[in-house]
Amino acid sequence: MHRLLITLLTLVTIMVLAPAVTAAPAQAAAARPNLRACYDGKCKFTFTRPVSFRVAKRYRLGKVRVARVYVSAFGSYAVRISAPGLASTLGEGARGTLNGLSVRVLSITSRGATVRFTG
């Protein structure tokens, strides 16, 4: 009787924990955007930590850095896009440019943000 109960509890534990264990690597992979696709200035990605990537020479920017920042004057989060000597802070739904590199902030959440570069 005890063996049956222990076996049953073990199987239930495995069934409950297995989806959580297998979902973790998929979420971690989704958190890492493919920034090589942004080289031409056209890409869309979601980030949870500040990211940097190179863009084509025609933009004269070198590396672009994208980060979610807290703007205390408004009491909310925004996305800061910066390059050496240039910076722009945009709220959700806003559009901006840096040396001809256009960007739109699609969404900002408590964990990160989604942006679209349109060249």
Side-chain angles (χ1 to χ4, degrees):
M1 182 71 162
H2 291 294
R3 286 184 183 182
L4 180 61
L5 184 61
I6 291 171
T7 303
L8 182 62
L9 287 173
T10 303
L11 288 174
V12 169
T13 303
I14 290 171
M15 291 173 64
V16 169
L17 293 178
V21 172
T22 57
Q27 289 173 349
R32 286 185 236 127
N34 178 12
L35 298 174
R36 287 184 181 168
C38 294
Y39 182 78
D40 66 353
K42 296 177 183 176
C43 64
K44 174 185 168 186
F45 62 88
T46 301
F47 64 95
T48 56
R49 287 182 252 177
V51 295
S52 295
F53 55 92
R54 293 195 178 282
V55 292
K57 291 183 181 186
R58 69 175 175 255
Y59 298 112
R60 301 177 312 277
L61 295 173
K63 260 191 172 181
V64 174
R65 183 176 191 270
V66 182
R68 184 179 64 104
V69 296
Y70 185 76
V71 181
S72 60
F74 298 110
S76 64
Y77 286 97
V79 174
R80 184 166 180 87
I81 297 105
S82 58
L86 298 170
S88 182
T89 303
L90 304 169
E92 188 168 353
R95 297 173 190 258
T97 61
L98 260 75
N99 276 8
L101 180 63
S102 298
V103 63
R104 180 171 181 209
V105 178
L106 300 176
S107 67
I108 303 172
T109 66
S110 61
R111 301 202 64 201
T114 302
V115 295
R116 174 179 287 140
F117 285 89
T118 57

